[in-house]
Amino acid sequence: MLQDSFNRKFTYLRLSVTEVCNFKCNYCLPDGYECETRPTTLTLAQTHTLLRAFAMVGTKKVRLTGGEPTLRKELPDIVALCNDTPGIESVALTSNGYRLARKLPRLVDAGLTALNLSADSLSPYTFSQITGSNSLDEVLRCIDLAFELGLKKVKLNAVLLKQYNGAQLTQFLNFIKDKPVTFRFIELMRTLDNAAYFNAQHVSGQSIRTTLENSGWQMQPKGPDAGPAVEFCHPDYAGQVGLIMPYSQDFCASCNRLRVSADGKLHLCLFGDANDDLTPWLDDGDATGLATYLSNRVLTKWQGHQLHLGKSGMTRHLAMLGG
């Protein structure tokens, strides 16, 4: 099993399958995705080697991210590769939900087990302001379809933004009153290109946590392969609430995930200053050699990020690695 020098065990891989996105979220890509040349992505053969290597060192959960992963035409094949890799127990997808409904049955048939959708507001007008898209109804329709197709884990993500959804907590909570989904609120994170926006829009997740705890919400224990969210439940609600608070004390103490970009770069931290090109092993189909490299490389992982110091490492925008 992958374990670093701080005794953190890494069983969770976030794999970007494309950095291209079809939304213009004002906290991430306000001008839309821009690329002067065709972006490079790992082939299916390279992806297969990557998955085998990570499984050899104890990875049990893979989350496929973007950009927007549904823009990758081979996405069902990638889901199937994950599902067919011995040792991988969970295959999750994070998507903005745009035109996902027609693709979701094939993804579930390929082995998808969990789905996260972006819903930064439940107000169509505010949703459009944030994302540059009028597709809120399409996103929400995917929830019912996901349950119809047999998915047990369906979550909605909202990035907290002072001007846009900062006062919409009641609306979010009403939505999960009778729906067994988890609504996760994510603190806005500073990147290389959003300093002014961050200063104007950042909302601390601690204020949401205080409101929840004062209203009878109870914190839930984390599973071994769970992500960074602190989750809460309430006896009067079918759904749950999750808080992702990267600026909170000891946020990195429970880190259990590594990231690989769409072009095959290993990122030990979303906000690190370095990445490692894994393509030499992937080109050779050398899963064993890559597994050995990963075991050694993870020993150099930092104890924590430096976001609180205003340092976001190499991360230009969140679409690079899907957050």
Side-chain angles (χ1 to χ4, degrees):
M1 179 176 290
L2 289 179
Q3 181 169 318
D4 70 5
S5 58
F6 302 100
N7 296 319
R8 295 175 296 192
K9 296 178 175 63
F10 298 90
T11 59
Y12 176 7
L13 170 65
R14 293 181 64 97
L15 174 60
S16 173
V17 298
T18 179
E19 68 172 39
V20 180
C21 190
N22 50 3
F23 272 22
K24 297 181 179 180
C25 296
N26 55 21
Y27 56 82
C28 183
L29 294 174
D31 298 319
Y33 177 75
E34 299 175 352
C35 183
E36 296 180 358
T37 59
R38 184 178 178 85
T40 301
T41 55
L42 296 180
T43 66
L44 292 179
Q46 289 174 314
T47 302
H48 187 205
T49 300
L50 179 81
L51 292 169
R52 286 166 48 222
F54 270 90
M56 286 178 184
V57 290
T59 295
K60 298 182 182 302
K61 174 181 178 179
V62 176
R63 176 170 298 281
L64 301 175
T65 69
E68 172 46 44
T70 59
L71 295 178
R72 179 77 184 268
K73 65 179 181 179
E74 300 96 344
L75 182 61
D77 301 310
I78 297 172
V79 171
L81 284 176
C82 295
N83 186 56
D84 293 341
T85 300
I88 305 268
E89 300 173 356
S90 174
V91 187
L93 175 71
T94 294
S95 171
N96 61 28
Y98 182 60
R99 296 184 178 175
L100 173 62
R102 61 193 172 108
K103 303 175 182 179
L104 193 55
R106 188 179 173 194
L107 296 174
V108 174
D109 286 343
L112 189 71
T113 60
L115 177 65
N116 285 15
L117 296 166
S118 296
D120 291 309
S121 176
L122 296 174
S123 159
Y125 174 73
T126 307
F127 181 91
S128 177
Q129 278 189 308
I130 296 172
T131 66
S133 172
N134 294 313
S135 58
L136 177 61
D137 287 344
E138 291 181 55
V139 175
L140 298 182
R141 276 199 298 271
C142 287
I143 299 173
D144 294 332
L145 176 59
F147 285 125
E148 289 172 13
L149 293 171
L151 291 184
K152 304 300 183 184
K153 295 182 180 180
V154 181
K155 299 179 181 181
L156 294 176
N157 294 338
V159 176
L160 292 170
L161 303 168
K162 185 181 299 184
Q163 178 183 345
Y164 298 96
N165 60 20
Q168 295 181 355
L169 179 61
T170 299
Q171 187 178 12
F172 288 125
L173 294 181
N174 287 341
F175 183 82
I176 61 172
K177 184 78 174 177
D178 302 308
K179 286 186 181 294
V181 300
T182 298
F183 224 126
R184 307 194 315 167
F185 303 110
I186 305 169
E187 278 190 10
L188 178 65
M189 291 169 267
R190 181 172 173 178
T191 56
L192 291 178
D193 65 352
N194 76 349
Y197 186 93
F198 173 85
N199 291 333
Q201 299 296 339
H202 180 257
V203 177
S204 170
Q206 184 58 48
S207 61
I208 306 292
R209 178 171 185 164
T210 299
T211 298
L212 292 173
E213 291 176 337
N214 289 342
S215 302
W217 289 81
Q218 298 291 321
M219 188 171 70
Q220 300 300 294
K222 276 190 179 186
D225 301 319
V230 180
E231 295 198 347
F232 297 81
C233 72
H234 192 290
D236 297 334
Y237 288 78
Q240 296 187 329
V241 171
L243 294 175
I244 299 178
M245 301 180 289
Y247 291 90
S248 61
Q249 187 175 9
D250 296 329
F251 176 76
C252 298
S254 62
C255 184
N256 64 350
R257 58 208 173 278
L258 300 175
R259 295 171 172 83
V260 173
S261 64
D263 60 351
K265 304 292 195 307
L266 172 68
H267 292 253
L268 296 178
C269 177
L270 178 59
F271 298 103
D273 284 320
N275 59 47
D276 298 8
D277 185 5
L278 305 183
T279 56
W281 292 276
L282 303 181
D283 290 342
D284 291 341
D286 185 6
T288 301
L290 178 54
T292 299
Y293 176 80
L294 293 171
S295 297
N296 293 326
R297 188 68 174 94
V298 77
L299 293 173
T300 68
K301 184 172 166 63
W302 296 353
Q303 186 173 15
H305 60 61
Q306 295 182 307
L307 282 176
H308 60 291
L309 300 176
K311 298 179 181 179
S312 55
M314 298 178 64
T315 304
R316 300 188 313 276
H317 50 71
L318 294 175
M320 285 178 58
L321 289 167

